[in-house]
């Protein structure tokens, strides 16, 4: 087994777990299988992750951060060339950022399904009396909320607008709608309908802001 820095090894094991879970489902994921896939001993996996719940939490966060990075890249590419202002500018920025998610979603349907599966399993365990399982979904959604609020605040700042609804509420609404859109796409794989719905979502989000320079 090749020696690797702890953070590199941890990332390698998360990637191995994601690959296994995407292929076989969360229920089939075990610490032993992750060790085999990562080419390490069982003890090495336990050194980095106390148990499967901790591993699932890190997997969920990795998936969310990958999607957020795609959004930031699309957003950065846009603001590097234009400086849109006002509500119409906000729509343009939102469209670029949210639209930047779609290529990675279409390219990784198994991973998108995996995020729902991780959430569903954690909620099922919590309902069965395992309160600690709820920490997985709580952390998953906290990460999503943080990323969404940062993105929305940056869009508003760049466009010179102010959110008339508390930005955390806007983020919650946007994420809930996006969750539903992705799940629907996983069912029917209608990309055109999904893109049209994403544009509708942008229009709705933009109504929750007002220009800093009315008129």
């Amino acid at each position: 087994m090749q020696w690797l820095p702890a953070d590199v090894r941890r990332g390698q094991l998360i990637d191995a777990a994601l690959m296994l879970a995407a292929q076989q489902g969360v229920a089939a994921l075990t610490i032993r299988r992750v060790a085999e896939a990562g080419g390490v001993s069982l003890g090495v996996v336990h050194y980095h992750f106390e148990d499967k719940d901790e591993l699932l939490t890190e997997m969920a966060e990795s998936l969310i951060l990958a999607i957020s990075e795609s959004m930031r890249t699309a957003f950065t590419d846009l603001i590097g060339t234009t400086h849109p202002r006002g509500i119409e500018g906000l729509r343009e920025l939102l469209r670029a950022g949210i639209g930047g998610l779609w290529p990675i979603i279409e390219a990784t349907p198994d991973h998108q399904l995996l995020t729902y599966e991780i959430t569903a399993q954690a909620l099922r365990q919590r309902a069965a009396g395992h309160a600690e399982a709820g920490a997985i979904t709580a952390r998953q959604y906290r990460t999503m909320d943080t990323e969404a609020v940062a993105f929305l605040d940056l869009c508003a700042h760049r466009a010179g607008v102010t959110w008339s609804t508390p930005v955390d509420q806007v983020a919650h609404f946007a994420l809930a709608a996006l969750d539903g859109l992705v799940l629907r796409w996983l069912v029917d794989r209608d990309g055109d309908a999904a893109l049209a719905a994403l544009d509708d979502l942008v229009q709705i989000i933009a109504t929750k802001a007002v220009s800093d320079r009315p008129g």
Side-chain angles (χ1 to χ4, degrees), residues 111-130:
H111 281 180
Q112 305 314 312
L113 180 59
L114 184 56
T115 62
Y116 293 102
E117 193 174 356
I118 290 172
T119 301
Q121 175 157 316
L123 291 175
R124 189 175 293 113
Q125 289 179 335
R126 186 180 68 180
H130 303 287

Side-chain angles (χ1 to χ4, degrees), residues 4 36 40 85 111-112 134 139 143 147 149 167 190 196 203:
L4 292 173
E36 292 171 354
V40 300
R85 303 291 290 178
H111 281 180
Q112 305 314 312
R139 183 172 173 181
T143 300
E147 293 290 329
V149 167
V167 68
D190 189 339
Q203 301 298 328

Side-chain angles (χ1 to χ4, degrees), residues 126-144:
R126 186 180 68 180
H130 303 287
E132 68 279 3
I136 295 176
T137 51
R139 183 172 173 181
Q140 182 181 355
Y141 276 80
R142 277 199 305 270
T143 300
M144 291 166 57

Side-chain angles (χ1 to χ4, degrees), residues 14-29:
I14 291 171
D15 288 343
L18 286 169
M19 180 188 68
L20 286 171
Q23 292 173 346
Q24 303 173 21
V26 171
L29 187 68

Side-chain angles (χ1 to χ4, degrees), residues 149-160:
V149 167
F151 168 69
L152 292 170
D153 275 341
L154 185 54
C155 284
H157 174 73
R158 292 285 183 175

Side-chain angles (χ1 to χ4, degrees), residues 188-208:
D188 59 28
R189 301 302 171 98
D190 189 339
D192 290 340
L195 289 173
L198 285 174
D199 194 61
D200 288 342
L201 177 59
V202 165
Q203 301 298 328
I204 295 170
I205 293 173
T207 66
K208 301 178 184 295

